[in-house]
Amino acid sequence: MTTLTRTALVVAVVLVVLLGLLWVFQRRLIYLPDPGPVPPAGQVIPGARDVSFTTRDGLRLAAWYVPGHHDVTVLVTGGNAGNRLHRAPLARALAAYGLPVLLMDYRGYGGNPGSPTEEGLLLDALAARASIQSPKVVYFGESLGAAVATRLAIEEPPDGLVLRSPFTDLAAAGQVNYPFLPVRALLRDRFPVAGRIGEVRAPVVVVYGTRDTIVPPALSRAVATAAGATAVAVDGAGHNDLSLLTGPELIGAVRELADRVR
């Protein structure tokens, strides 16, 4: 065996090992929960209360509910990182206009039991939706949560759907962040959005930042096109900027949709 052949063999073995490790541990790259306990809801948002619901596979999940006088409740499905405490400013901003808000946390997030997977997050969102008694509901999905909200909208149709920084599917976003990896071939959790958004039978609004480097604007615009949706571009906003959490364009888009479907 020549030196060149041995080197090529070693490189091939290393690559196989690395790809195998990525296959096994990929969910640790996708899901970045803050698993620690969160404070009582009322300490963070005046008038809010702690609630819980049970998933079909038996997990009891904690959430925050913020009451309001509007006919439409907003169900928030968060992104892949943090927990409901990080989305409290969004709930406060919506509640300021009278909108009731349910801030859910997925399994493994915010002190909840379990480990996140694509199907698990859907079960979590279904349980959250079943807990809402309001006659009208708008789903608000953030980033990866936009995929969860889209799937939920197909299973349990809402009165409206707001997608904040959605990707066309997880592989497309992953390829941007890991261009040196065969992301599409490796992924177990797919989270399709553009390919399924046409099944949603509710008005859709897409909000995105024009300087988003995590979910490029082109991906969000493609989702809007596939949905035939209203697209709201927040000029200069990056993926984690406050303008995509409490900014007037974002909050205004949710308010306008809620008023339209009430």
Side-chain angles (χ1 to χ4, degrees):
M1 184 182 294
T2 67
T3 301
L4 182 60
T5 302
R6 283 196 299 269
T7 301
L9 183 59
V10 169
V11 170
V13 170
V14 169
L15 285 174
V16 169
V17 170
L18 287 175
L19 290 174
L21 289 172
L22 285 169
W23 171 260
V24 172
F25 295 109
Q26 61 180 267
R27 284 179 174 143
R28 296 188 183 183
L29 298 175
I30 296 170
Y31 306 105
L32 305 172
D34 183 339
V38 296
Q43 291 183 9
V44 181
I45 306 172
R49 62 178 183 264
D50 295 286
V51 297
S52 62
F53 39 82
T54 303
T55 65
R56 293 176 186 173
D57 57 344
L59 294 181
R60 190 75 174 170
L61 303 181
W64 288 349
Y65 177 72
V66 186
H69 58 74
H70 202 285
D71 299 331
V72 178
T73 296
V74 180
L75 169 58
V76 177
T77 57
N80 69 317
N83 59 39
R84 59 193 180 277
L85 179 61
H86 301 97
R87 292 162 184 94
L90 169 65
R92 280 195 295 265
L94 294 173
Y97 293 100
L99 286 164
V101 181
L102 180 60
L103 276 181
M104 65 168 291
D105 259 336
Y106 307 121
R107 57 190 66 203
Y109 288 71
N112 283 335
S115 298
T117 65
E118 181 176 4
E119 290 305 312
L121 267 55
L122 174 62
L123 293 179
D124 301 343
L126 285 166
R129 173 62 185 91
S131 74
I132 296 174
Q133 302 302 314
S134 172
K136 301 276 189 175
V137 181
V138 164
Y139 301 160
F140 177 99
E142 169 204 322
S143 193
L144 183 138
V148 177
T150 298
R151 179 84 178 275
L152 178 63
I154 294 168
E155 302 281 340
E156 292 288 340
D159 297 281
L161 177 64
V162 179
L163 303 179
R164 196 280 257 181
S165 307
F167 45 65
T168 50
D169 62 11
L170 184 57
Q175 201 66 68
V176 170
N177 293 282
Y178 302 99
F180 49 88
L181 294 175
V183 174
R184 195 168 295 278
L186 287 172
L187 275 181
R188 285 183 282 176
D189 293 347
R190 298 287 176 166
F191 289 104
V193 180
R196 300 207 64 184
I197 193 71
E199 300 174 54
V200 174
R201 297 294 177 254
V204 180
V205 177
V206 172
V207 183
Y208 65 95
T210 61
R211 292 191 178 179
D212 194 329
T213 57
I214 295 175
V215 178
L219 298 184
S220 295
R221 288 195 296 267
V223 171
T225 299
T230 301
V232 178
V234 181
D235 190 45
H239 193 76
N240 294 313
D241 287 358
L242 279 176
S243 55
L244 287 177
L245 183 67
T246 60
E249 297 96 335
L250 177 74
I251 301 303
V254 180
R255 286 180 57 204
E256 289 170 13
L257 182 58
D259 287 341
R260 189 185 351 151
V261 303
R262 69 186 306 179

